[in-house]
Amino acid sequence: MGFSFLLLFFEVALIRFIPAHVQVVSYFINLILISAFLGMGAGMILQSRGRSTVVYFAPLLLVLIGMVQYFSNIWVEVSKGQGEYLWTNGMKPSDAVQSWGMEPVVFVIFVLSTLVFIPLGSGIAREFDRFKPLIAYSINIAGSLLGLAVFSLFSWLSMPPLAWFAFGFVYFAASCVDNRKVLVSTLCLPVVLFLIHGMERSGENAGEIWSPYYKINYSVYEDHLDLSVNGSFHQHALNFSDEGIARSGYNKRVKQDFLAPYHFAKSVDRVLVLGAGTGNDVAIALSKGAKQVDAVEIDREIIELGKQHHYQQPYSDPRVTLYNDDARAFLKKTDQKYDVVVLGTLDSQTLLSGMSSIRLDNYVYTLESFRSIKEHLKPGGVLILYHLSGSFPIAEKIYGTLMEVFREQPMMRHIQPSHLFNFTFVAGWSDNVDEAFWDDPALIAFQKQFNIPIGPNGELMPKYRIPTDNWPYLYLENPKVPSHYFTVGGFILLFSVALVWWSAGGVQRDHRPDWPVFLLGAGFLLLETKSVTEMSLLFGSTWLVNVLVFSSILLMVLFANLVVIRQWVSDRNTQFGLLLGALVICYLTPVESLLGLPLAWQWGVGSFLVALPIFFSSILFALVFQTRHAAALALGYNVLGAVLGGLMEYNAMLLGTKPLYLLSMIMYLGAFYFMRKPATT
């Protein structure tokens, strides 16, 4: 159990740590997760051949962290013109700063992180040899569950990476206390801690906080609070007092731009702010005379920074009610109606996590989300949306989605030069205006910006695909897999094949690959990925929801193992039929139909639909796995199959998230075909 714990613990730690310092890594789906599976599989195969690699863990981790530190101080050139908007740090600071291409950086990080997990996979294989296959697999899952739980506690306490890695190193050393060579190699670990400590950024009137989502750096000045996440600008908390505006022309301009769309509102008695951040939007609503403001912010650490440092202290106002929640989740939980709903600058700097292709804010900008917002508006209520983006197609997609929902052209303002936001949209405005309304100088800059064609049946014909809950890719112009993902995916595939070939001893090995468990691994990871996105939509993209989803999956696997160990089921064909039936049900059930149910029913039905295929697929794998004599080798091939499943997730950008069920079904059909042949391990 010890090495299973360590692998999951370091996997999640690196998933959080690496993208925080090398931002481009966060845009590649499941990169660190795939490297963990690949390294684990290669390590288990090597151990099954009598080649232990545990001694190399500490030196390899030192090399990885050293490269992360190096890449955190260079300029990474992001691919352009691929139809996807990737947030970057702007222009290269100077010619003296070294630069790398995005793909080479990702290649290096993937290779090094894979190598780090090989020794941990070797340690897991050694533990496997002590038990029967299914018992060993169950212990492995239990260790992974414990590793996830412990790291989740670190995240809950907002502890920094120094604490994560120090704990992991002590646990690793304790697990290898009987191996002198490994203990000597752990002398590298203090150097790793030194490098990690050197990457912290803090000082007078500045600090670094690790929220459950990302690394937050902040600096406090006389009239503004700078806040960045994972190394990129995120928010300014501004001093909107008369004194602050008198001292800062920037603050004055931003306040005027914040206030301008409120001219379209008939009333501001009750205001909802989604993405409240440190409190700018709340302060503006209060200054307009709001009697009640509901402020929703997903990151509790950003809320605390707003409470401590915002100059108007909006969160201390008795008219404000704070909710630490996901925007979509809050909309489902409340039946309140509002005069104004404000969408703050919910602009993704990174992905939700290294385990999902869905960015933190993607489900906020879908067709279904805007319909939900419209339902929470009072008659004559308006939606005000602020957005920061360097891509005009993103603005056009938002514009088209609002037009589809409100059945009128929204008003839009493009602000140049940009500041906290460069686009402002207002929807639901037409019921509140008359001819004299347009005499107000503040409204001159607002206009109906885009000319979106209307079809013969009154349908919109936008140039860019409108985001939906099935295809929630606001930052992708149209359904496609951009070429940089093909480049990186092709490299990962070639590297994986080469590593597996080398680990298995090349062509001289006297056995063929274990295709059934390989394909079962590919299908399972696709199911796991779909579970994360489905539950994020139903219950919110909060870190707690994701922890609960992964914990539930591991518990479901444990329960399935118990069912097989107790011999409550034994027929593979029946379980395969049940699995296919569950996949068909999940594919045919529209997610939006669940959103209309009461919240308790959403939890019940949604959890059941997610758990059903996971349960049957886990039983099917357990029935196959218990027949394997070389358990470590079989599990090695299973996790290598997960690499293929991880790469196949990129297809969601082209097909949408729902067809992942179909891709998973294809993998299981392939596994069932090979099950009819004799096992080779």
Side-chain angles (χ1 to χ4, degrees):
M1 181 182 289
F3 278 93
S4 301
F5 173 95
L6 282 168
L7 189 135
L8 201 289
F9 185 88
F10 278 107
E11 174 189 326
V12 183
L14 291 175
I15 282 172
R16 291 209 59 205
F17 181 78
I18 294 176
H21 295 92
V22 188
Q23 190 184 57
V24 294
V25 172
S26 64
Y27 293 109
F28 289 85
I29 302 169
N30 287 331
L31 189 82
I32 307 302
L33 180 66
I34 292 173
S35 74
F37 276 114
L38 178 60
M40 174 184 171
M44 297 185 80
I45 292 173
L46 284 168
Q47 183 67 39
S48 71
R49 297 176 54 220
R51 299 180 62 181
S52 177
T53 57
V54 176
V55 70
Y56 301 112
F57 172 71
L60 288 170
L61 186 61
L62 174 59
V63 175
L64 173 62
I65 298 301
M67 288 304 298
V68 170
Q69 184 190 50
Y70 169 72
F71 285 143
S72 68
N73 294 305
I74 68 166
W75 172 253
V76 180
E77 298 176 359
V78 174
S79 299
K80 304 293 184 183
Q82 302 298 323
E84 181 186 28
Y85 178 65
L86 303 179
W87 183 279
T88 63
N89 292 316
M91 301 298 293
K92 184 177 180 180
S94 70
D95 292 336
V97 177
Q98 288 185 295
S99 63
W100 279 56
M102 178 172 66
E103 290 87 348
V105 170
V106 174
F107 296 163
V108 172
I109 292 295
F110 179 80
V111 170
L112 292 179
S113 58
T114 299
L115 295 179
V116 165
F117 289 109
I118 289 176
L120 298 180
S122 181
I124 291 173
R126 289 194 312 181
E127 295 174 344
F128 258 66
D129 294 338
R130 304 172 189 171
F131 305 95
K132 293 181 178 179
L134 204 52
I135 298 295
Y137 179 51
S138 299
I139 294 173
N140 172 258
I141 296 297
S144 299
L145 186 61
L146 183 60
L148 179 62
V150 171
F151 191 85
S152 298
L153 178 62
F154 279 84
S155 293
W156 174 257
L157 297 174
S158 295
M159 300 186 75
L162 203 61
W164 317 340
F165 286 99
F167 173 84
F169 295 161
V170 171
Y171 195 100
F172 175 78
S175 301
C176 303
V177 69
D178 59 340
N179 191 319
R180 183 177 301 176
K181 288 184 178 180
V182 175
L183 286 178
V184 171
S185 75
T186 60
L187 294 176
C188 297
L189 298 180
V191 183
V192 175
L193 294 178
F194 175 78
L195 292 176
I196 292 171
H197 177 69
M199 284 186 267
E200 293 181 359
R201 300 288 184 265
S202 60
E204 186 177 358
N205 296 323
E208 181 173 295
I209 300 172
W210 282 79
S211 84
Y213 297 96
Y214 29 50
K215 178 185 69 171
I216 302 173
N217 292 98
Y218 67 91
S219 300
V220 183
Y221 301 96
E222 183 179 22
D223 289 313
H224 68 278
L225 164 71
D226 279 344
L227 190 151
S228 67
V229 299
N230 287 356
S232 290
F233 163 74
H234 190 53
Q235 296 179 24
H236 286 321
L238 300 179
N239 186 351
F240 290 138
S241 68
D242 292 340
E243 296 81 5
I245 288 176
R247 283 192 297 264
S248 171
Y250 176 84
N251 288 19
K252 179 180 180 180
R253 177 187 166 216
V254 174
K255 183 176 182 180
Q256 290 172 341
D257 292 337
F258 263 123
L259 289 170
Y262 279 87
H263 287 76
F264 292 91
K266 182 167 62 176
S267 169
V268 292
D269 285 351
R270 191 173 185 92
V271 178
L272 170 64
V273 179
L274 299 173
T278 47
N280 283 337
D281 297 281
V282 178
I284 291 296
L286 293 173
S287 73
K288 290 294 294 182
K291 297 177 182 177
Q292 173 65 44
V293 179
D294 289 342
V296 181
E297 168 57 41
I298 196 171
D299 196 317
R300 70 167 188 267
E301 296 298 340
I302 289 180
I303 290 176
E304 289 302 315
L305 286 171
K307 287 180 178 180
Q308 295 172 25
H309 298 294
H310 200 286
Y311 303 88
Q312 276 62 62
Q313 292 293 297
Y315 292 149
S316 299
D317 194 294
R319 294 172 289 173
V320 176
T321 304
L322 263 173
Y323 297 91
N324 179 206
D325 205 350
D326 170 81
R328 287 290 296 272
F330 176 82
L331 290 170
K332 291 198 293 285
K333 294 172 186 175
T334 183
D335 57 2
Q336 293 291 335
K337 301 283 188 177
Y338 298 91
D339 299 291
V340 179
V341 175
V342 178
L343 277 181
T345 49
L346 294 112
D347 312 305
S348 281
Q349 314 303 309
T350 62
L351 299 186
L352 167 62
S353 73
M355 303 181 187
S356 172
S357 64
I358 307 301
R359 300 195 198 185
L360 190 59
D361 60 333
N362 272 22
Y363 281 128
V364 176
Y365 293 107
T366 66
L367 190 70
E368 294 85 352
S369 176
F370 284 136
R371 284 173 178 162
S372 179
I373 290 172
K374 184 181 179 182
E375 292 170 358
H376 285 81
L377 287 172
K378 293 180 181 179
V382 298
L383 166 64
I384 296 173
L385 188 156
Y386 305 102
H387 198 81
L388 177 63
S389 173
S391 174
F392 231 76
I394 294 174
E396 185 166 345
K397 291 176 73 168
I398 294 174
Y399 185 95
T401 310
L402 291 173
M403 188 173 171
E404 174 73 24
V405 171
F406 286 86
R407 309 311 299 177
E408 66 180 20
Q409 289 192 351
M411 300 304 296
M412 190 188 95
R413 182 184 181 193
H414 183 213
I415 300 170
Q416 293 178 307
S418 62
H419 42 71
L420 300 188
F421 47 91
N422 59 348
F423 292 101
T424 307
F425 300 87
V426 183
W429 58 275
S430 60
D431 294 335
N432 305 327
V433 303
D434 53 34
E435 291 299 323
F437 180 84
W438 295 105
D439 294 335
D440 192 323
L443 304 178
I444 294 174
F446 283 92
Q447 55 187 298
K448 300 171 185 178
Q449 182 77 32
F450 298 107
N451 182 23
I452 298 179
I454 306 295
N457 299 317
E459 73 277 14
L460 292 182
M461 301 178 67
K463 186 192 317 181
Y464 304 107
R465 171 80 171 267
I466 288 177
T468 64
D469 285 348
N470 181 54
W471 192 82
Y473 297 104
L474 175 67
Y475 301 98
L476 193 62
E477 291 178 6
N478 284 303
K480 64 179 293 188
V481 180
S483 62
H484 48 263
Y485 294 116
F486 279 110
T487 303
V488 171
F491 171 82
I492 290 174
L493 191 59
L494 289 174
F495 177 74
S496 301
V497 170
L499 182 61
V500 173
W501 181 86
W502 174 79
S503 301
V507 296
Q508 287 77 30
R509 290 293 291 169
D510 58 357
H511 75 276
R512 294 173 296 171
D514 193 336
W515 291 114
V517 296
F518 177 86
L519 292 170
L520 288 173
F524 186 82
L525 192 71
L526 284 167
L527 281 182
E528 184 180 67
T529 298
K530 189 66 180 76
S531 299
V532 174
T533 56
E534 202 105 306
M535 299 298 270
S536 295
L537 172 59
L538 289 172
F539 311 123
S541 295
T542 63
W543 77 278
L544 183 59
V545 166
N546 284 279
V547 168
L548 291 174
V549 171
F550 284 108
S551 299
S552 300
I553 289 172
L554 291 172
L555 286 170
M556 193 64 64
V557 174
L558 274 177
F559 180 59
N561 288 352
L562 176 64
V563 168
V564 175
I565 290 171
R566 294 295 183 90
Q567 298 183 345
W568 293 338
V569 297
S570 58
D571 183 56
R572 297 182 191 175
N573 294 344
T574 300
Q575 297 307 312
F576 179 76
L578 291 172
L579 172 59
L580 286 185
L583 290 172
V584 170
I585 291 172
C586 290
Y587 178 75
L588 295 178
T589 303
V591 178
E592 55 269 23
S593 66
L594 302 183
L595 297 177
L597 298 175
L599 189 61
W601 279 92
Q602 285 184 38
W603 274 99
V605 177
S607 300
F608 176 76
L609 289 175
V610 167
L612 200 62
I614 293 287
F615 177 65
F616 289 128
S617 66
S618 299
I619 287 182
L620 188 60
F621 175 73
L623 288 171
V624 174
F625 187 69
Q626 70 175 352
T627 66
R628 298 309 193 248
H629 301 296
L633 185 60
L635 189 60
Y637 277 113
N638 181 250
V639 297
L640 291 173
V643 174
L644 176 63
L647 293 175
M648 291 177 66
E649 191 198 343
Y650 286 105
N651 288 288
M653 294 181 171
L654 173 65
L655 305 173
T657 61
K658 206 64 162 167
L660 292 181
Y661 282 127
L662 298 180
L663 294 176
S664 179
M665 196 179 301
I666 292 171
M667 295 298 102
Y668 284 116
L669 285 169
F672 186 68
Y673 169 78
F674 283 106
M675 281 179 201
R676 305 175 69 87
K677 297 184 177 183
T680 58
T681 60

